[in-house]
Amino acid sequence: MNPPPAVRALRESIARTDALLIASPEYAHGDSGVMKNALDGLVSVEGFVAKPVAVVNTSPRAHHAWDALLETLRTMSAALIPQGCVSIPLLGTCTTEALMLESPAVATQIRGLLDAVQTFVPARRYALPLQ
């Protein structure tokens, strides 16, 4: 089956990346329909399998979608980055990039997760068998 152009473009973009960073809102205790549709378009796609993925939860009370998203990504064979899957409470306090950078706690957590991604990707790349 030939997927729609938007799905093909998403697959091609993801295949070219070293890693993904996902942050998604929670709707009615679940992932948003848009996020679920995007992930559905990546199921069993070679460019996604074993892709390093960091997941950010921006609201600690939104754990239902967070848990579901992590389970979906595991089922899809994503390589979840342990220190890159974090909860950073932004709800109502850090609504802009400037405010996030002004908050020492938030800025430190963001730097930490980005460092985790940067460390994980090269380590994983070199750990893969040569072809």
Side-chain angles (χ1 to χ4, degrees), residues 32-121:
S32 73
V34 173
M35 177 57 67
K36 184 66 175 133
N37 285 339
L39 292 175
D40 285 348
L42 299 172
V43 171
S44 299
V45 171
E46 186 177 324
F48 183 82
V49 172
K51 180 69 67 179
V53 178
V55 183
V56 179
N57 180 11
T58 61
S59 176
R61 68 182 186 199
H63 67 89
H64 298 284
W66 166 259
D67 295 339
L69 182 57
L70 292 174
E71 179 59 25
T72 298
L73 291 166
R74 281 186 205 98
T75 301
M76 293 174 62
S77 300
L80 293 175
I81 302 169
Q83 291 79 20
C85 294
V86 296
S87 191
I88 303 174
L90 301 180
L91 190 60
T93 57
C94 289
T95 55
T96 67
E97 182 180 345
L99 289 172
M100 288 178 211
L101 293 174
E102 288 174 16
S103 167
V106 170
T108 297
Q109 284 185 286
I110 292 171
R111 282 187 196 98
L113 90 88
L114 294 174
D115 287 344
V117 172
Q118 190 173 14
T119 300
F120 186 88
V121 171

